[in-house]
Amino acid sequence: MTRFGHERAGAPLSVEIQAHAAAFRARFGPDGALRLFFAPGRVNLMGAHLDYNGGPVMPTAIDRGTFIALRPRADRRLRLASSSEERVLELALSDLPSERSGLWADYPLGVAIELLRARHGNESITGIDLFFGGNLPVGAGLSSSASICVGTAFALNAAWSLGLGRMDEVRAALAAERGFVGVQCGIMDPYAVGLARPGHVLWLDCKDATSAHLPFDFEHLRLAVIDSGVRRELAEGAFNLRVAECRAAFERLAPHEPGARCLRDVRYATFEAHRAELAPSESRRAEHVLREVSRTFAARDALAEGRPESMGRLMSEAHASLRDLFEVSCPELDAILEAASGVEGVLGGRLTGAGFGGCAVVLLESGAEEALERRVVERFSRRFGRAPRVDFFAGDHGPRELELGSD
Ligand code: GLA
């Protein structure tokens, strides 16, 4: 079992950082001082598929994420490489592409383009070599994309002395993902990564982007993240389809709800009175969204009032809704959550992120970790012939620069 956060038992961050720096030098040459950065991933506890419907969400950062090593260049060339492939992408800062390539490098490139666009007369900006890596599984619902985008904005802001604030970095990351990369994502992920605070979950109301940090009792509670191992090639297309279905539902309901600006603003009674006007799939999506909004407010109250078992129950109800109404679960995730629910000390759980595979998040009392892992691994392996990965997380800071040799 690999434990992170307060119980970290894997390679310490300093060891991983040293390895990342060595890999940078192997790829780009040994000379010159490097700077190293880390940006976390996130796990969302409540508010599934609400961000792009203007609802509230409750994510927390995790201490796995993206490593970025960089070294300024004397010329105006930008070179991008990653630990997961040999290819180095080389471009002139004065001639960055206007169209995405479909490759991983679109994410950091999109951010660089955003940052340079916001800056008039960028001739003083120097070239840079950037090397990306990390310990966050890609496509697992832990927001590797926001981690790479916010991390890139943070690192380039530092390297180019742009003087941007954290919200500018978050906005650049979001604009890159929506624009250059082309995913119609909501605001949750870059906010969750950018505004993270250890020992807290973020309360983010996506209608007006107001946020608060809610204390989370990491002393008595644990978050398990269990990876189904399922990755869907078409997840981005399926995600965009959910966004479109929710928008269609809103457009049909909006005339009945004067003043409504997003699906979250539609009252449940209005939806019930007019659901026959929606296509059946739109009706299921809207029902999930409106009930999930209520559940997420209830989860915030449960957390504030020290009722974690209520929060766990709401998480499990959210999963049932994601499975039956929003239709973004899969048999592997359902099996993980079914197995987890029978363990003493487990309070509840649900899929996290967009779904279509990826990870489940389980809320448990501390002390129940081993029983949870044993039962989930045993049941899942019996049914699917392989073991899922189980990690336990505490919250994490937002993006930061790391000293070589520090933890
Ligand atoms: C993905 C998106 C987020 C959010 C979640 C679902 O992770 O990137 O913006 O919509 O799905 O809650």
PDB file of all heavy atoms in Angstrom, residues 8 10-23 36 67 135 402-407:
ATOM      1  N   ARG A   8       2.747   9.350   4.359  1.00  0.00           N
ATOM      2  CA  ARG A   8       3.482   9.061   3.151  1.00  0.00           C
ATOM      3  C   ARG A   8       4.514   7.966   3.392  1.00  0.00           C
ATOM      4  O   ARG A   8       5.333   8.052   4.283  1.00  0.00           O
ATOM      5  CB  ARG A   8       4.185  10.332   2.721  1.00  0.00           C
ATOM      6  CG  ARG A   8       4.823  10.212   1.406  1.00  0.00           C
ATOM      7  CD  ARG A   8       5.433  11.555   1.030  1.00  0.00           C
ATOM      8  NE  ARG A   8       5.688  11.468  -0.373  1.00  0.00           N
ATOM      9  CZ  ARG A   8       5.026  12.154  -1.265  1.00  0.00           C
ATOM     10  NH1 ARG A   8       4.132  12.995  -0.907  1.00  0.00           N
ATOM     11  NH2 ARG A   8       5.279  11.985  -2.528  1.00  0.00           N
ATOM     12  N   GLY A  10       5.763   6.285   0.308  1.00  0.00           N
ATOM     13  CA  GLY A  10       6.430   6.107  -0.984  1.00  0.00           C
ATOM     14  C   GLY A  10       7.717   6.901  -1.005  1.00  0.00           C
ATOM     15  O   GLY A  10       8.229   7.323   0.032  1.00  0.00           O
ATOM     16  N   ALA A  11       8.285   7.137  -2.205  1.00  0.00           N
ATOM     17  CA  ALA A  11       9.495   7.943  -2.297  1.00  0.00           C
ATOM     18  C   ALA A  11       9.177   9.347  -1.808  1.00  0.00           C
ATOM     19  O   ALA A  11       8.159   9.917  -2.171  1.00  0.00           O
ATOM     20  CB  ALA A  11       9.944   7.993  -3.747  1.00  0.00           C
ATOM     21  N   PRO A  12      10.031   9.942  -0.923  1.00  0.00           N
ATOM     22  CA  PRO A  12       9.762  11.319  -0.526  1.00  0.00           C
ATOM     23  C   PRO A  12       9.834  12.246  -1.727  1.00  0.00           C
ATOM     24  O   PRO A  12      10.525  11.953  -2.709  1.00  0.00           O
ATOM     25  CB  PRO A  12      10.865  11.627   0.485  1.00  0.00           C
ATOM     26  CG  PRO A  12      11.711  10.434   0.578  1.00  0.00           C
ATOM     27  CD  PRO A  12      11.211   9.371  -0.341  1.00  0.00           C
ATOM     28  N   LEU A  13       9.138  13.371  -1.623  1.00  0.00           N
ATOM     29  CA  LEU A  13       9.087  14.308  -2.739  1.00  0.00           C
ATOM     30  C   LEU A  13      10.501  14.700  -3.167  1.00  0.00           C
ATOM     31  O   LEU A  13      10.787  14.850  -4.356  1.00  0.00           O
ATOM     32  CB  LEU A  13       8.288  15.541  -2.305  1.00  0.00           C
ATOM     33  CG  LEU A  13       7.669  16.417  -3.381  1.00  0.00           C
ATOM     34  CD1 LEU A  13       6.876  15.591  -4.375  1.00  0.00           C
ATOM     35  CD2 LEU A  13       6.778  17.471  -2.736  1.00  0.00           C
ATOM     36  N   SER A  14      11.409  14.873  -2.187  1.00  0.00           N
ATOM     37  CA  SER A  14      12.771  15.301  -2.526  1.00  0.00           C
ATOM     38  C   SER A  14      13.445  14.306  -3.470  1.00  0.00           C
ATOM     39  O   SER A  14      14.172  14.694  -4.371  1.00  0.00           O
ATOM     40  CB  SER A  14      13.597  15.471  -1.256  1.00  0.00           C
ATOM     41  OG  SER A  14      13.610  14.281  -0.531  1.00  0.00           O
ATOM     42  N   VAL A  15      13.193  13.005  -3.263  1.00  0.00           N
ATOM     43  CA  VAL A  15      13.811  11.987  -4.117  1.00  0.00           C
ATOM     44  C   VAL A  15      13.223  12.075  -5.527  1.00  0.00           C
ATOM     45  O   VAL A  15      13.938  12.038  -6.540  1.00  0.00           O
ATOM     46  CB  VAL A  15      13.599  10.572  -3.516  1.00  0.00           C
ATOM     47  CG1 VAL A  15      14.052   9.501  -4.479  1.00  0.00           C
ATOM     48  CG2 VAL A  15      14.312  10.461  -2.181  1.00  0.00           C
ATOM     49  N   GLU A  16      11.901  12.247  -5.587  1.00  0.00           N
ATOM     50  CA  GLU A  16      11.260  12.344  -6.903  1.00  0.00           C
ATOM     51  C   GLU A  16      11.717  13.595  -7.643  1.00  0.00           C
ATOM     52  O   GLU A  16      11.895  13.591  -8.859  1.00  0.00           O
ATOM     53  CB  GLU A  16       9.742  12.333  -6.735  1.00  0.00           C
ATOM     54  CG  GLU A  16       9.233  11.004  -6.205  1.00  0.00           C
ATOM     55  CD  GLU A  16       7.724  10.929  -6.192  1.00  0.00           C
ATOM     56  OE1 GLU A  16       7.114  11.018  -7.261  1.00  0.00           O
ATOM     57  OE2 GLU A  16       7.151  10.780  -5.103  1.00  0.00           O
ATOM     58  N   ILE A  17      11.907  14.674  -6.894  1.00  0.00           N
ATOM     59  CA  ILE A  17      12.347  15.927  -7.497  1.00  0.00           C
ATOM     60  C   ILE A  17      13.773  15.797  -8.040  1.00  0.00           C
ATOM     61  O   ILE A  17      14.083  16.263  -9.142  1.00  0.00           O
ATOM     62  CB  ILE A  17      12.250  17.048  -6.425  1.00  0.00           C
ATOM     63  CG1 ILE A  17      10.799  17.499  -6.324  1.00  0.00           C
ATOM     64  CG2 ILE A  17      13.146  18.216  -6.713  1.00  0.00           C
ATOM     65  CD1 ILE A  17      10.302  18.167  -7.578  1.00  0.00           C
ATOM     66  N   GLN A  18      14.638  15.156  -7.260  1.00  0.00           N
ATOM     67  CA  GLN A  18      16.020  14.941  -7.731  1.00  0.00           C
ATOM     68  C   GLN A  18      16.008  14.131  -9.028  1.00  0.00           C
ATOM     69  O   GLN A  18      16.739  14.423  -9.971  1.00  0.00           O
ATOM     70  CB  GLN A  18      16.844  14.159  -6.682  1.00  0.00           C
ATOM     71  CG  GLN A  18      17.072  14.891  -5.380  1.00  0.00           C
ATOM     72  CD  GLN A  18      18.100  16.008  -5.516  1.00  0.00           C
ATOM     73  OE1 GLN A  18      18.694  16.193  -6.572  1.00  0.00           O
ATOM     74  NE2 GLN A  18      18.272  16.783  -4.457  1.00  0.00           N
ATOM     75  N   ALA A  19      15.161  13.113  -9.048  1.00  0.00           N
ATOM     76  CA  ALA A  19      15.076  12.268 -10.245  1.00  0.00           C
ATOM     77  C   ALA A  19      14.559  13.084 -11.429  1.00  0.00           C
ATOM     78  O   ALA A  19      15.021  12.927 -12.568  1.00  0.00           O
ATOM     79  CB  ALA A  19      14.159  11.075  -9.968  1.00  0.00           C
ATOM     80  N   HIS A  20      13.631  13.969 -11.161  1.00  0.00           N
ATOM     81  CA  HIS A  20      13.069  14.785 -12.234  1.00  0.00           C
ATOM     82  C   HIS A  20      14.131  15.746 -12.783  1.00  0.00           C
ATOM     83  O   HIS A  20      14.239  15.946 -13.992  1.00  0.00           O
ATOM     84  CB  HIS A  20      11.849  15.559 -11.717  1.00  0.00           C
ATOM     85  CG  HIS A  20      11.051  16.196 -12.807  1.00  0.00           C
ATOM     86  ND1 HIS A  20      10.345  15.470 -13.736  1.00  0.00           N
ATOM     87  CD2 HIS A  20      10.890  17.495 -13.157  1.00  0.00           C
ATOM     88  CE1 HIS A  20       9.771  16.292 -14.593  1.00  0.00           C
ATOM     89  NE2 HIS A  20      10.096  17.530 -14.267  1.00  0.00           N
ATOM     90  N   ALA A  21      14.915  16.328 -11.869  1.00  0.00           N
ATOM     91  CA  ALA A  21      15.981  17.246 -12.294  1.00  0.00           C
ATOM     92  C   ALA A  21      17.013  16.488 -13.139  1.00  0.00           C
ATOM     93  O   ALA A  21      17.480  16.990 -14.174  1.00  0.00           O
ATOM     94  CB  ALA A  21      16.648  17.866 -11.068  1.00  0.00           C
ATOM     95  N   ALA A  22      17.343  15.273 -12.716  1.00  0.00           N
ATOM     96  CA  ALA A  22      18.324  14.470 -13.473  1.00  0.00           C
ATOM     97  C   ALA A  22      17.768  14.153 -14.863  1.00  0.00           C
ATOM     98  O   ALA A  22      18.492  14.208 -15.869  1.00  0.00           O
ATOM     99  CB  ALA A  22      18.637  13.188 -12.707  1.00  0.00           C
ATOM    100  N   ALA A  23      16.478  13.861 -14.925  1.00  0.00           N
ATOM    101  CA  ALA A  23      15.860  13.550 -16.223  1.00  0.00           C
ATOM    102  C   ALA A  23      15.852  14.783 -17.129  1.00  0.00           C
ATOM    103  O   ALA A  23      16.037  14.681 -18.348  1.00  0.00           O
ATOM    104  CB  ALA A  23      14.440  13.026 -16.007  1.00  0.00           C
ATOM    105  N   LEU A  36      12.595  24.289 -10.083  1.00  0.00           N
ATOM    106  CA  LEU A  36      11.657  23.164 -10.008  1.00  0.00           C
ATOM    107  C   LEU A  36      10.359  23.568  -9.334  1.00  0.00           C
ATOM    108  O   LEU A  36      10.377  24.282  -8.331  1.00  0.00           O
ATOM    109  CB  LEU A  36      12.298  22.041  -9.194  1.00  0.00           C
ATOM    110  CG  LEU A  36      13.302  21.263 -10.024  1.00  0.00           C
ATOM    111  CD1 LEU A  36      14.433  20.773  -9.180  1.00  0.00           C
ATOM    112  CD2 LEU A  36      12.588  20.119 -10.703  1.00  0.00           C
ATOM    113  N   PHE A  67       5.357  17.656 -11.721  1.00  0.00           N
ATOM    114  CA  PHE A  67       6.662  18.281 -11.513  1.00  0.00           C
ATOM    115  C   PHE A  67       7.023  19.034 -12.787  1.00  0.00           C
ATOM    116  O   PHE A  67       6.880  18.496 -13.892  1.00  0.00           O
ATOM    117  CB  PHE A  67       7.762  17.247 -11.292  1.00  0.00           C
ATOM    118  CG  PHE A  67       7.543  16.363 -10.106  1.00  0.00           C
ATOM    119  CD1 PHE A  67       7.741  14.991 -10.200  1.00  0.00           C
ATOM    120  CD2 PHE A  67       7.144  16.886  -8.891  1.00  0.00           C
ATOM    121  CE1 PHE A  67       7.536  14.170  -9.103  1.00  0.00           C
ATOM    122  CE2 PHE A  67       6.944  16.072  -7.790  1.00  0.00           C
ATOM    123  CZ  PHE A  67       7.143  14.708  -7.902  1.00  0.00           C
ATOM    124  N   ASN A 135       3.475  12.323 -10.604  1.00  0.00           N
ATOM    125  CA  ASN A 135       3.044  11.047 -10.044  1.00  0.00           C
ATOM    126  C   ASN A 135       1.520  10.963  -9.960  1.00  0.00           C
ATOM    127  O   ASN A 135       0.972  10.304  -9.094  1.00  0.00           O
ATOM    128  CB  ASN A 135       3.688  10.822  -8.670  1.00  0.00           C
ATOM    129  CG  ASN A 135       3.503  12.031  -7.765  1.00  0.00           C
ATOM    130  OD1 ASN A 135       2.691  12.889  -8.062  1.00  0.00           O
ATOM    131  ND2 ASN A 135       4.247  12.079  -6.681  1.00  0.00           N
ATOM    132  N   LEU A 402      10.028  24.429  -5.559  1.00  0.00           N
ATOM    133  CA  LEU A 402      10.720  23.538  -4.630  1.00  0.00           C
ATOM    134  C   LEU A 402      12.222  23.775  -4.741  1.00  0.00           C
ATOM    135  O   LEU A 402      12.746  24.017  -5.832  1.00  0.00           O
ATOM    136  CB  LEU A 402      10.428  22.074  -4.978  1.00  0.00           C
ATOM    137  CG  LEU A 402       8.951  21.670  -4.958  1.00  0.00           C
ATOM    138  CD1 LEU A 402       8.783  20.305  -5.599  1.00  0.00           C
ATOM    139  CD2 LEU A 402       8.427  21.643  -3.526  1.00  0.00           C
ATOM    140  N   GLU A 403      12.880  23.681  -3.604  1.00  0.00           N
ATOM    141  CA  GLU A 403      14.348  23.720  -3.606  1.00  0.00           C
ATOM    142  C   GLU A 403      14.813  22.321  -3.946  1.00  0.00           C
ATOM    143  O   GLU A 403      14.258  21.340  -3.441  1.00  0.00           O
ATOM    144  CB  GLU A 403      14.864  24.070  -2.205  1.00  0.00           C
ATOM    145  CG  GLU A 403      14.457  25.447  -1.718  1.00  0.00           C
ATOM    146  CD  GLU A 403      15.042  26.549  -2.586  1.00  0.00           C
ATOM    147  OE1 GLU A 403      16.189  26.394  -3.026  1.00  0.00           O
ATOM    148  OE2 GLU A 403      14.338  27.526  -2.856  1.00  0.00           O
ATOM    149  N   LEU A 404      15.852  22.217  -4.734  1.00  0.00           N
ATOM    150  CA  LEU A 404      16.425  20.888  -4.958  1.00  0.00           C
ATOM    151  C   LEU A 404      16.921  20.384  -3.610  1.00  0.00           C
ATOM    152  O   LEU A 404      17.637  21.084  -2.916  1.00  0.00           O
ATOM    153  CB  LEU A 404      17.603  20.991  -5.931  1.00  0.00           C
ATOM    154  CG  LEU A 404      17.270  20.721  -7.389  1.00  0.00           C
ATOM    155  CD1 LEU A 404      18.462  20.989  -8.264  1.00  0.00           C
ATOM    156  CD2 LEU A 404      16.776  19.300  -7.582  1.00  0.00           C
ATOM    157  N   GLY A 405      16.515  19.190  -3.236  1.00  0.00           N
ATOM    158  CA  GLY A 405      16.959  18.653  -1.954  1.00  0.00           C
ATOM    159  C   GLY A 405      15.976  18.941  -0.833  1.00  0.00           C
ATOM    160  O   GLY A 405      16.188  18.511   0.290  1.00  0.00           O
ATOM    161  N   SER A 406      14.878  19.660  -1.146  1.00  0.00           N
ATOM    162  CA  SER A 406      13.893  19.917  -0.087  1.00  0.00           C
ATOM    163  C   SER A 406      12.725  18.954  -0.220  1.00  0.00           C
ATOM    164  O   SER A 406      12.577  18.288  -1.237  1.00  0.00           O
ATOM    165  CB  SER A 406      13.354  21.330  -0.199  1.00  0.00           C
ATOM    166  OG  SER A 406      12.430  21.392  -1.266  1.00  0.00           O
ATOM    167  N   ASP A 407      11.871  18.919   0.789  1.00  0.00           N
ATOM    168  CA  ASP A 407      10.691  18.054   0.713  1.00  0.00           C
ATOM    169  C   ASP A 407       9.429  18.893   0.712  1.00  0.00           C
ATOM    170  O   ASP A 407       9.448  20.051   0.953  1.00  0.00           O
ATOM    171  CB  ASP A 407      10.680  17.087   1.888  1.00  0.00           C
ATOM    172  CG  ASP A 407      10.075  15.751   1.467  1.00  0.00           C
ATOM    173  OD1 ASP A 407       9.471  15.694   0.374  1.00  0.00           O
ATOM    174  OD2 ASP A 407      10.182  14.818   2.228  1.00  0.00           O
TER     175      ASP A 407
END
